[in-house]
């Protein structure tokens, strides 16, 4: 090896090492965000549909979501669900995940979407869709919908 190629090789190895560290960091952050999003969704659904804490949904709502469905409309919507389906008995399954660029180092712009199957007291099955946006600090609800045949009868 010549004296001239040694610095080039060192720079190349350093660059590859930096890229590997950046990729590992991005994957770690993506896994952490995915876990926090699903945990947030399940906890919020339990609070809102299981314990009737509509204020939790309002407090965690994205401003754009609240402009489309004001707090009073959300309270009425959740009240209608509770009246028709009864209290939440069980969260059966959750499907979905987060979306973000693999090489994005900031959590801003990260979104998540989940579909959760549920069982309510009035022997009613329902599916809930919840969409989240991460504002860099925490998750906010950007969409929320519950579908069950009993809501349409």
């Amino acid at each position: 090896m010549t004296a001239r190629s040694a610095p080039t090789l060192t720079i190349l190895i350093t660059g590859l090492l930096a890229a590997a560290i950046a990729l590992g960091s991005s994957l770690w952050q993506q896994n952490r965000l995915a876990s926090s999003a699903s945990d947030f969704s399940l906890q919020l659904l339990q609070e809102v549909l299981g314990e009737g804490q509509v204020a939790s949904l309002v407090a965690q709502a994205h401003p754009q979501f609240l402009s489309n469905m004001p707090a009073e409309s959300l309270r009425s919507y959740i009240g209608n669900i509770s009246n028709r389906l009864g209290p939440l008995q069980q969260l059966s399954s959750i499907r979905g995940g987060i979306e973000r660029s693999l090489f994005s180092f900031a959590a801003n712009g990260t979104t998540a979407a989940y579909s959760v199957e549920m069982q309510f007291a009035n022997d009613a099955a329902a599916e809930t869709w919840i969409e989240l946006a991460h504002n860099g600090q925490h998750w906010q609800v950007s969409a929320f919908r519950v579908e069950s045949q009993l809501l349409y009868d």
Side-chain angles (χ1 to χ4, degrees):
M1 182 177 289
T2 66
R4 188 178 240 188
S5 64
T8 304
L9 185 59
T10 302
I11 291 171
L12 179 62
I13 291 172
T14 303
L16 289 173
L17 183 59
I21 290 170
L23 180 60
S25 174
S26 182
L27 289 171
W28 175 80
Q29 185 179 28
Q30 185 162 342
N31 286 338
R32 185 182 56 80
L33 283 170
S35 177
S36 72
S38 63
D39 290 348
F40 174 85
S41 297
L42 293 173
Q43 179 181 346
L44 185 65
L45 291 173
Q46 181 61 45
E47 289 174 6
V48 174
L49 298 172
E51 302 165 15
Q53 298 179 20
V54 181
S56 294
L57 179 58
V58 173
Q60 301 298 335
H62 190 278
Q64 183 65 39
F65 179 54
L66 284 177
S67 72
N68 294 332
M69 183 177 263
E72 195 52 46
S73 296
L74 270 175
R75 286 183 191 90
S76 175
Y77 179 65
I78 299 300
N80 182 49
I81 292 167
S82 295
N83 289 339
R84 289 180 172 243
L85 304 181
L88 176 65
Q89 297 296 304
Q90 180 180 1
L91 298 168
S92 303
S93 68
I94 182 169
R95 293 181 311 274
I98 67 168
E99 291 186 19
R100 73 188 283 260
S101 168
L102 183 61
F103 295 103
S104 173
F105 294 101
N108 290 352
T110 302
T111 60
Y114 294 99
S115 168
V116 183
E117 292 180 14
M118 307 174 158
Q119 190 67 37
F120 288 83
N122 292 347
D123 201 29
E127 190 164 12
T128 299
W129 283 268
I130 184 168
E131 295 178 18
L132 309 172
H134 199 277
N135 68 4
Q137 301 294 321
H138 60 274
W139 292 103
Q140 293 180 306
V141 178
S142 56
F144 183 87
R145 184 176 82 241
V146 177
E147 289 190 4
S148 173
Q149 189 59 41
L150 286 180
L151 294 174
Y152 301 113
D153 291 340

